[in-house]
Amino acid sequence: MSEDTPVSVTMEKDGDVAVIIVNNPPVNALSWHVRQGLEDNFAAALGDDSVKAIVLRCAGATFIAGADISEFGKPPRGPDFNAVLNSIEAASKPVIAAIHGTALGGGLETALVCHYRIAVPSAKLGVPEVKLGLLPGAGGTQRLPRVVGVEAAATMTSTGDPLPAAKAKELGLVDELAGEESLAADAIAFARAKIADGPRPTRERRVFGDVAVIEQLKTANAKRWRGFEAPYANLACVEAATRLPFDEGLAFEREQFMKLMFGSQSAAQRHIFFAERQAAKIDGLPKDTQLRDVKKVGVIGAGTMGGGISMNFLQKGIPVTIVEMQQDALDRGVGVIRKNYDASAAKGRFKPEQVDQMMGILTPTLSLDDLADCDLIIEAVYENMDVKKDIFGKLDKIAKPGAILASNTSYLDIDEIATATSRPGDVLGMHFFSPANVMKLLEVVRGEKTAPDALATAMAIGKKIGKVAVVAGVCDGFIGNRMLKPRQIEAMNLLMEGATPAQVDKVHVEFGMPMGPFQMSDLAGVDIGWHRDPNRIESIRDALCAEGRWGQKKQAGFSDYDHKRQPSESARVAELIEEYRTKAGTQKREISDQEIIERTLYPMVNEGALILAEGKAQRASDIDVVWIYGYGWPVYRGGPMFWAGLEGTDKIVAALEKHGFEIAPLLKEKADAKSGF
Ligand code: T1G
């Protein structure tokens, strides 16, 4: 080992048991120097005649949480991962993995080449590679069927969900449960007890279980896995384990792994893995920024948004005071919260007593004065600037010093709202996405005068309630909705020129979106933002609204809907479009699917480039995170800005120019450099 190799693996001896300890914070990833350290320390332990058994454990928060994803795509360094694992498995002395925290991916594969496994009850064990568009590429798909059987192996690899230690023990993945606080000692005792049994190489164990589960999983997950490659590659490897000798199965796994590793889907999913974590960071935040305490939250408005927002805090044990102006609206809002929790409890998500607990820390009131002791107040009322400024003016007098005053507005100017108070440093936006208790995205809108600690606190509380929070700047629509706008405008233009709502929606769904622009309008409500004058028809949308075609809620929007909300093409909508097209004197023509992509998705990239250039998003990857978690952009395409790199920014610019768009300078710059964002 050369002197510049970090020492991340050490060895201690307890009598005749060697204890090899990995210490590579924060998650003991199998970086090159860890692999080097394992190779060196196992060689030393195996070469020491006084050593009769070997324990492998980790310092810090967790057992090995996987290969070091940050090394992927870089020139290989240090010993080959498979070679290190195979040498551990071939050890002439029993090797025991002592597991705490999360043994994930390459971490679990390392535990699998150990001959026995002991874990603390709170440990979790899994192979989440599929969530990175990969598969366990160090023997996991071949060894798991030999330890837990085909059914469990197929489920673990294709879903990526970890198992709690107790379940792992039930399946035979863990041989012994240690005391929560005595893993080190229990592992040594367990190792000593295994000296007589000797090594138990996993590769020599027999695959068992019913291969039929593989087709069953494919059928059960067809919708969820639509467009993804990795789940099917994982299942193909597990299936191979049922019919190939170990080494041939390993070779098949390697081949499948390399295909995924060098494919665009894994690059996209790994991009999002890091992008999500990067989004939590605020560039330039002073190092000594202290977060404000948030022990009590106030929510103004008990409608759909106010109720959903409140639920996020209640289920994390944070008391909420919810304010409405009218008693019946307040009662209705509280009733909806209870109904939602009861529905979740019926599905087993909460125990009934938990629902009572959560409802017990919800305080309904008609008076804003009752928000005086709240640390964070979120306004979620009607999208009207005057209404919001009136409320913030009152809050300025009621709220305690240091309370954060947030608006859930989806596009209004936070800076203008802040002028209604004497404390603009405490004012920011917290834009939740409907349904607020379900959608993970939270846009935290930073006003001109928002204080750094207020912003950092809002980001931290967002993470605490399980959201993926992204900093946005003040502009119309912030990040997500601002990019949605050009997409919706062009989608309407395409109808005028000859496309149908179903065709545009189909192109988006085939691209990987959960729904197309018109399905989204019908779901949200075609009448959102409509002027409500049925005689004023200035667009196709006005024509639909004038006829009461307000979307799913009226069983008619851009499509017709049956009682199960199943859509079908509407002859009436086709007539309305034709009437409107004739009135406007627009010629109908054939529109290709490619043109739909170029005129609805490419303008989003263009808008994203403007958002970046204006500093309304901290980084391109933040924009990707917004679209993945706010609108269901397919994660295997990495978000609009990452996808622009895959598509080719030069190709995008050429198409946008062809369709007459004004090109964002930053996008032009990337295109000229033939680079992504
Ligand atoms: N490689 C590199 N960095 C990692 C990492 C990894 N595997 N896992 C986490 N980090 C970084 C992360 O970016 C963050 O960095 C910090 O650690 C804390 O992470 C061959 C090919 C373990 C459950 O997919 O699920 O093995 O932002 O904020 O909330 O078959 O990290 O601080 O600079 O998420 O406590 C398979 C991925 C890899 C597990 C901890 N393993 N990690 O959650 O902390 S592929 C995974 C996680 C593989 C082999 C294959 C979580 C966690 P920074 P964090 P956390």
Side-chain angles (χ1 to χ4, degrees):
M1 188 193 306
S2 61
E3 55 280 353
D4 69 346
T5 305
V7 177
S8 36
V9 183
T10 55
M11 180 158 70
E12 299 166 359
K13 276 182 67 183
D14 180 301
D16 53 1
V17 176
V19 182
I20 295 176
I21 303 167
V22 175
N23 185 15
N24 183 28
V27 297
N28 286 314
L30 276 156
S31 311
W32 67 271
H33 45 87
V34 174
R35 300 195 302 272
Q36 187 64 60
L38 286 173
E39 184 175 81
D40 298 343
N41 283 280
F42 268 94
L46 292 170
D48 178 342
D49 291 343
S50 69
V51 169
K52 303 296 179 223
I54 302 166
V55 168
L56 170 63
R57 68 179 172 82
C58 292
T62 175
F63 191 76
I64 300 163
D68 183 342
I69 315 173
S70 65
E71 286 184 353
F72 292 170
K74 291 177 187 156
R77 195 172 171 192
D80 171 72
F81 185 19
N82 271 300
V84 173
L85 295 194
N86 291 337
S87 66
I88 294 172
E89 186 174 51
S92 56
K93 303 171 183 176
V95 179
I96 288 82
I99 299 167
H100 72 296
T102 51
L104 296 176
L108 181 55
E109 290 175 299
T110 304
L112 278 167
V113 297
C114 297
H115 305 128
Y116 306 94
R117 286 156 291 281
I118 182 171
V120 295
S122 62
K124 286 192 169 47
L125 300 88
V127 277
E129 286 87 337
V130 68
K131 295 178 180 174
L132 298 172
L134 294 169
L135 54 83
T141 66
Q142 304 305 304
R143 290 190 174 94
L144 275 172
R146 288 171 163 81
V147 176
V148 299
V150 175
E151 294 90 332
T155 303
M156 289 176 74
T157 54
S158 61
T159 64
D161 297 336
L163 299 175
K167 180 69 181 163
K169 180 153 186 335
E170 204 182 288
L171 289 169
L173 183 55
V174 162
D175 301 292
E176 185 90 352
L177 286 181
E180 195 61 47
E181 306 305 326
S182 56
L183 177 64
D186 293 353
I188 289 170
F190 182 59
R192 198 158 276 134
K194 286 299 172 189
I195 292 172
D197 296 337
R200 181 182 60 173
T202 306
R203 64 169 54 220
E204 291 171 10
R205 295 171 67 170
R206 206 175 42 77
V207 173
F208 62 94
D210 181 2
V211 74
V213 71
I214 288 175
E215 287 312 313
Q216 289 157 11
L217 280 166
K218 288 178 188 173
T219 308
N221 292 287
K223 194 162 180 294
R224 182 175 162 207
W225 294 347
R226 181 170 67 88
F228 285 92
E229 294 160 359
Y232 298 96
N234 274 276
L235 291 177
C237 290
V238 172
E239 189 278 330
T242 66
R243 58 185 169 75
L244 295 176
F246 183 82
D247 284 322
E248 285 177 41
L250 212 53
F252 180 78
E253 176 195 90
R254 190 89 200 130
E255 181 196 309
Q256 294 298 313
F257 177 78
M258 296 311 273
K259 245 191 250 171
L260 293 175
M261 169 63 93
F262 292 102
S264 64
Q265 291 203 356
S266 178
Q269 291 176 245
R270 281 179 276 130
H271 163 71
I272 290 301
F273 174 85
F274 287 114
E276 182 185 330
R277 287 154 178 80
Q278 191 67 11
K281 294 170 183 154
I282 303 167
D283 292 344
L285 186 72
K287 279 272 171 291
D288 58 350
T289 302
Q290 295 296 314
L291 298 183
R292 300 185 193 181
D293 263 349
V294 178
K295 292 193 171 55
K296 196 166 180 195
V297 172
V299 175
I300 305 171
T304 310
M305 290 309 286
I309 291 168
S310 303
M311 291 176 70
N312 291 309
F313 294 96
L314 296 173
Q315 51 211 54
K316 290 294 177 186
I318 301 172
V320 172
T321 300
I322 188 164
V323 182
E324 256 297 350
M325 302 304 145
Q326 306 293 333
Q327 189 62 48
D328 59 344
L330 185 62
D331 295 345
R332 193 166 48 250
V334 172
V336 168
I337 293 173
R338 171 99 227 190
K339 187 165 71 62
N340 287 339
Y341 278 143
D342 285 341
S344 298
K347 291 180 203 145
R349 199 168 150 226
F350 298 115
K351 294 192 183 73
E353 56 272 22
Q354 281 178 297
V355 174
D356 293 337
Q357 263 166 11
M358 293 187 288
M359 296 307 291
I361 56 173
L362 175 66
T363 308
T365 175
L366 295 176
S367 164
L368 283 174
D369 293 335
D370 291 340
L371 301 178
D373 61 346
C374 291
D375 308 294
L376 165 65
I377 299 170
I378 303 172
E379 165 273 314
V381 301
Y382 184 58
E383 285 285 58
N384 173 289
M385 182 56 84
D386 294 340
V387 169
K388 293 185 189 298
K389 287 172 81 169
D390 173 56
I391 286 175
F392 274 75
K394 288 174 181 157
L395 288 179
D396 194 32
K397 298 178 181 57
I398 295 168
K400 68 184 191 183
I404 294 173
L405 309 182
S407 171
N408 171 56
T409 181
S410 55
Y411 66 98
L412 292 175
D413 186 327
I414 294 293
D415 294 327
E416 188 177 343
I417 292 174
T419 60
T421 75
S422 61
R423 45 167 132 180
D426 296 339
V427 178
L428 47 74
M430 289 181 81
H431 176 215
F432 291 83
F433 283 68
S434 184
N437 54 311
V438 173
M439 294 302 284
K440 282 184 74 80
L441 178 65
L442 171 65
E443 284 180 326
V444 178
V445 187
R446 174 185 217 163
E448 200 60 44
K449 300 197 174 82
T450 300
D453 67 327
L455 180 67
T457 303
M459 292 293 284
I461 199 77
K463 179 169 182 175
K464 183 169 184 178
I465 61 175
K467 300 301 179 189
V468 176
V470 179
V471 178
V474 174
C475 60
D476 186 354
F478 312 132
I479 298 174
N481 287 345
R482 176 167 162 182
M483 291 169 70
L484 193 61
K485 209 165 171 181
R487 185 189 86 165
Q488 299 302 87
I489 290 169
E490 275 307 298
M492 294 301 287
N493 291 340
L494 284 159
L495 292 195
M496 284 295 286
E497 297 170 38
T500 64
Q503 181 192 5
V504 176
D505 285 341
K506 178 177 74 64
V507 168
H508 279 243
V509 170
E510 284 174 357
F511 178 81
M513 298 299 287
M515 63 184 82
F518 299 107
Q519 289 165 307
M520 188 177 189
S521 290
D522 283 351
L523 178 67
V526 184
D527 60 321
I528 287 186
W530 177 48
H531 47 64
R532 309 263 154 211
D533 176 358
N535 301 313
R536 196 176 125 205
I537 296 186
E538 294 158 354
S539 69
I540 292 175
R541 201 181 68 132
D542 284 352
L544 267 66
C545 289
E547 285 204 357
R549 298 185 72 92
W550 294 0
Q552 283 191 20
K553 60 194 172 190
K554 298 275 192 179
Q555 289 78 47
F558 285 95
S559 300
D560 290 332
Y561 293 87
D562 66 16
H563 64 290
K564 288 196 188 116
R565 297 201 162 201
Q566 284 304 314
S568 57
E569 285 206 70
S570 161
R572 180 58 192 143
V573 168
E575 276 170 15
L576 284 170
I577 293 172
E578 187 49 41
E579 279 164 25
Y580 198 74
R581 184 184 292 130
T582 309
K583 204 168 80 176
T586 305
Q587 280 307 313
K588 182 177 178 179
R589 64 183 173 85
E590 272 302 301
I591 306 261
S592 70
D593 289 358
Q594 179 56 25
E595 180 174 350
I596 292 172
I597 291 278
E598 292 174 0
R599 288 178 54 185
T600 55
L601 296 184
Y602 288 4
M604 287 171 53
V605 173
N606 200 45
E607 197 64 36
L610 291 172
I611 288 170
L612 266 178
E614 294 165 24
K616 304 301 181 189
Q618 293 189 97
R619 48 188 88 86
S621 60
D622 280 9
I623 297 175
D624 291 332
V625 170
V626 162
W627 271 84
I628 299 277
Y629 288 103
Y631 303 83
W633 181 282
V635 69
Y636 58 80
R637 293 186 192 270
M641 310 314 276
F642 182 87
W643 173 69
L646 294 179
E647 190 73 358
T649 46
D650 51 343
K651 177 182 168 192
I652 291 173
V653 164
L656 287 172
E657 283 171 340
K658 177 181 69 180
H659 296 300
F661 286 88
E662 190 183 337
I663 309 300
L666 179 60
L667 176 57
K668 188 76 177 66
E669 195 185 300
K670 297 298 182 186
D672 294 344
K674 288 196 184 310
S675 86
F677 284 89

